[in-house]
């Protein structure tokens, strides 16, 4: 096969990679040759990096706590509530006709910690669905948040 290829295509060579790592190294070398300044290794690329950064931010926690969502208990006996992100289960970008606005549906697990006025504490973990809108790739707005039933 190698001889046939060299007869058909003049001044060329053919390499057959024997494993996946060799293929990855070849692709990365080609990518660096094409544009060494914007090259990013495959394992470093995460298309949802910005929204994951926001989910780990104080702004997200503030929007969850200050929002009027049914899954956060409020009452005269509760002194404070804290929210901790446990796991991001799924991120789906929803189609939008406006290029400046992106909509996401996100499923995640939160730990809600309550401190009561008498000093007692309790916590619960819940699965939550979020509807998030992003304007100009920098302004994140939590439009809705609700519990996801496992049933």
């Amino acid at each position: 096969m190698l001889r046939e290829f060299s007869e058909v295509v003049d001044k060329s060579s053919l390499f057959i990679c024997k494993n996946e790592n060799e293929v990855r190294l070849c692709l990365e070398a080609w990518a660096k040759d094409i544009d060494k300044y914007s090259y990013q290794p495959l394992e470093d690329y995460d298309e949802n990096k910005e929204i994951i950064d926001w989910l780990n931010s104080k702004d997200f926690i503030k929007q969850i706590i200050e929002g009027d969502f049914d899954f956060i208990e409020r009452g005269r006996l509760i002194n404070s509530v804290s929210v901790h992100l446990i796991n991001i289960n799924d991120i789906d970008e929803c189609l939008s006709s406006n290029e400046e606005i992106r909509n996401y549906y996100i499923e995640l697990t939160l730990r809600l910690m309550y401190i009561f006025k008498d000093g007692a504490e309790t916590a619960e973990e819940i699965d939550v669905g979020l509807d998030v809108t992003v304007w100009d790739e920098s302004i994140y707005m939590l439009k809705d948040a609700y519990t996801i039933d496992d049933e």
Side-chain angles (χ1 to χ4, degrees), residues 3-21:
R3 185 176 48 78
E4 285 180 35
F5 181 78
S6 60
E7 289 173 2
V8 173
V9 182
D10 193 30
K11 296 180 184 175
S12 64
S13 59
L14 176 68
F15 296 98
I16 299 175
C17 296
K18 293 179 181 158
N19 64 41
E20 185 177 319
N21 192 39

Side-chain angles (χ1 to χ4, degrees), residues 45-52 54-55 88 90-96 99-108 129-146:
Y45 178 73
D46 185 357
E47 66 180 307
N48 295 316
K49 182 183 180 334
E50 290 83 12
I51 199 146
I52 291 170
W54 175 72
L55 290 169
I88 300 170
D90 191 24
I91 299 175
D92 292 321
E93 185 171 358
C94 306
L95 296 176
S96 174
E99 291 182 14
E100 295 176 8
I101 298 175
R102 291 187 326 219
N103 295 305
Y104 290 92
Y105 172 72
I106 303 167
E107 291 182 1
L108 44 81
L130 306 176
D131 294 326
V132 177
T133 298
V134 182
W135 287 283
D136 296 328
E137 299 183 16
S138 63
I139 302 170
Y140 293 83
M141 177 68 179
L142 181 58
K143 297 185 81 172
D144 197 10
Y146 41 86

Side-chain angles (χ1 to χ4, degrees), residues 17-32:
C17 296
K18 293 179 181 158
N19 64 41
E20 185 177 319
N21 192 39
E22 287 182 32
V23 172
R24 185 180 59 78
L25 292 173
C26 287
L27 290 174
E28 286 182 352
W30 290 337
K32 286 179 187 175

Side-chain angles (χ1 to χ4, degrees), residues 13 37 67 71 111 115 122 142:
S13 59
Y37 299 107
F71 59 85
R111 175 177 288 134
I115 299 177
T122 188
L142 181 58

Side-chain angles (χ1 to χ4, degrees), residues 39-87:
Y39 166 74
Q40 184 176 17
L42 294 173
E43 60 270 2
D44 292 348
Y45 178 73
D46 185 357
E47 66 180 307
N48 295 316
K49 182 183 180 334
E50 290 83 12
I51 199 146
I52 291 170
D53 290 345
W54 175 72
L55 290 169
N56 287 300
S57 74
K58 290 179 182 179
D59 179 54
F60 168 69
I61 298 299
K62 181 180 177 184
Q63 288 188 43
I64 281 282
I65 291 174
E66 292 179 358
D68 187 23
F69 306 118
D70 292 339
F71 59 85
I72 295 181
E73 297 295 329
R74 312 224 189 258
R76 60 184 179 91
L77 299 178
I78 297 174
N79 192 35
S80 66
V81 178
S82 61
V83 177
H84 305 278
L85 177 63
I86 301 299
N87 190 38

